[in-house]
Amino acid sequence: DEITIISNEEYEIYSKVINEATFHTDKKQFVIEDLTYTAMQLSEDDCSYFKKQTGIELDNDLVNDFRDKNKNAYTLESKFFVPQKSVVVISAQEAKDIFNNKRGCTENWDKFYNQYQNSNGLMRISRIGYNRNHDQGMLFLAHNVHCEGGEGLLIFLARENDAWIIKAKIALWYH
């Protein structure tokens, strides 16, 4: 099934986004949870807010493809490539064990950074929705760095001259 396979092109886009759109990029390690992020369903309000912030009207096919691909979580593999960085894919279970509700938030993050000392936090990433021509894409990236540090980015890309370019990104949430 085409929707369940995460293509090499998708990993190429993920790698570009991780390298260019996140914060604390001075760190040497990016840590990504292995299940795709499904909490972002791209509501009509999200689309309106995106247009208001960027001037870009999202194509209906792109929005529908994004919604279809993000109804379920898919397993990410270690196929990321970010120059001069290491990208570590951790299981959702490991993330759950680190961010244990029995401990306080600060203790959880201390445990995370003890294990991933050169990390810029923990990222979760959605599947990429494409328009019909496959020359525009949209994804959501949740990037948390501490109890009160993180953001949820909606990222719009376009393919120009056979390369994917980040055209716009907006924070739908941050703390």
Side-chain angles (χ1 to χ4, degrees):
D1 181 3
E2 186 180 300
I3 202 169
T4 63
I5 296 169
I6 300 176
S7 69
N8 288 336
E9 179 184 43
E10 210 162 336
Y11 283 103
E12 187 181 312
I13 293 169
Y14 288 150
S15 297
K16 179 177 199 60
V17 165
I18 290 163
N19 196 36
E20 295 179 13
T22 59
F23 48 90
H24 296 302
T25 52
D26 56 318
K27 300 292 186 178
K28 297 291 182 213
Q29 186 178 67
F30 295 147
V31 179
I32 300 170
E33 189 173 309
D34 74 343
L35 290 180
T36 58
Y37 190 81
T38 58
M40 163 50 64
Q41 285 302 313
L42 205 55
S43 69
E44 294 306 317
D45 286 346
D46 295 331
C47 294
S48 297
Y49 182 70
F50 187 82
K51 182 179 180 186
K52 182 179 173 191
Q53 295 296 311
T54 67
I56 298 170
E57 181 144 8
L58 297 175
D59 178 276
N60 283 334
D61 292 328
L62 180 149
V63 171
N64 290 332
D65 190 50
F66 180 94
R67 289 177 180 157
D68 288 346
K69 285 183 178 164
N70 289 293
K71 285 179 184 166
N72 299 302
Y74 298 94
T75 303
L76 295 166
E77 299 174 63
S78 292
K79 292 185 175 181
F80 300 91
F81 175 74
V82 181
Q84 286 91 45
K85 308 280 182 181
S86 93
V87 179
V88 179
V89 179
I90 67 169
S91 72
Q93 185 59 53
E94 181 181 349
K96 190 175 178 182
D97 291 345
I98 291 171
F99 296 99
N100 178 324
N101 288 333
K102 294 181 182 116
R103 287 188 301 271
C105 181
T106 301
E107 291 170 71
N108 288 339
W109 279 104
D110 288 347
K111 182 173 181 172
F112 176 83
Y113 286 116
N114 282 337
Q115 284 183 249
Y116 301 103
Q117 294 174 5
N118 293 315
S119 163
N120 75 334
L122 179 64
M123 291 182 241
R124 294 191 66 200
I125 198 161
S126 74
R127 292 293 305 275
I128 301 168
Y130 298 99
N131 67 347
R132 189 176 306 254
N133 294 334
H134 202 83
D135 60 3
Q136 294 179 343
M138 172 73 71
L139 64 91
F140 184 78
L141 173 75
H143 183 193
N144 292 288
V145 296
H146 210 275
C147 301
E148 298 299 323
E151 63 185 350
L153 298 173
L154 198 52
I155 300 168
F156 178 80
L157 303 105
R159 190 168 55 197
E160 297 176 356
N161 302 319
D162 291 329
W164 285 96
I165 310 293
I166 297 172
K167 289 297 202 177
K169 67 175 184 169
I170 62 164
L172 291 183
W173 55 262
Y174 54 88
H175 56 90

